[in-house]
Amino acid sequence: MLEIHNLSQLNLDLDADVLSLLRLRHEQLDPDINVCMYIIEPGDDVSDVEDEIGFCLLSDVFGDCRYPDPDFSPACEVLEDHGSFYVMLYVFDDDGVEIIIPKRGVDPLLLSMCSQFAATLDVA
């Protein structure tokens, strides 16, 4: 998993669409707002990702339900389908965490949850 805190890190070898999104976010964000961005990489284990970011991706807000429980609802503020990847946004007070999830090579349960709950964007 890659952790992005500032634009100087964007010279990494990233998917062109992901890099475009990161540059857009950098332009959109108020410098006083702290947003950490994570890019899940193929082969990353979901439990390791959750340990690293400090919260669960596949549990609801209260931790009572875990996907694919029928009562599950994602805890993120936003879950978007960007074509070749998903984006999850979590907001905590004035801080945020944005997680980019590629559609290939990632835990099938996480992809299934994203597919079920994501809002589809016009990425043309």
Side-chain angles (χ1 to χ4, degrees):
M1 178 172 64
L2 298 174
E3 187 173 344
I4 308 293
H5 287 280
N6 60 57
L7 190 59
S8 67
Q9 292 177 272
L10 295 185
N11 59 1
L12 300 171
D13 184 24
L14 298 174
D15 174 89
D17 292 333
V18 170
L19 190 56
S20 293
L21 175 70
L22 293 174
R23 287 189 173 127
L24 175 64
R25 291 295 193 259
H26 180 74
E27 293 171 11
Q28 292 172 328
L29 290 173
D30 182 317
D32 294 331
I33 297 174
N34 181 30
V35 175
C36 184
M37 297 179 188
Y38 294 95
I39 302 171
I40 295 178
E41 297 177 291
D44 285 347
D45 182 78
V46 172
S47 62
D48 291 340
V49 170
E50 291 175 336
D51 288 345
E52 177 73 23
I53 63 176
F55 54 89
C56 293
L57 301 175
L58 295 174
S59 293
D60 67 5
V61 170
F62 303 106
D64 296 332
C65 293
R66 188 156 174 90
Y67 185 81
D69 185 297
D71 292 331
F72 170 82
S73 181
C76 57
E77 299 288 327
V78 175
L79 176 52
E80 298 173 332
D81 184 337
H82 283 257
S84 62
F85 59 93
Y86 295 103
V87 174
M88 298 176 84
L89 175 65
Y90 292 82
V91 178
F92 309 105
D93 296 320
D94 288 337
D95 296 336
V97 173
E98 191 164 49
I99 301 166
I100 297 170
I101 305 159
K103 289 187 177 180
R104 293 193 176 150
V106 177
D107 183 284
L109 195 60
L110 179 59
L111 291 178
S112 175
M113 186 276 294
C114 289
S115 175
Q116 182 176 344
F117 290 98
T120 304
L121 301 176
D122 180 11
V123 291

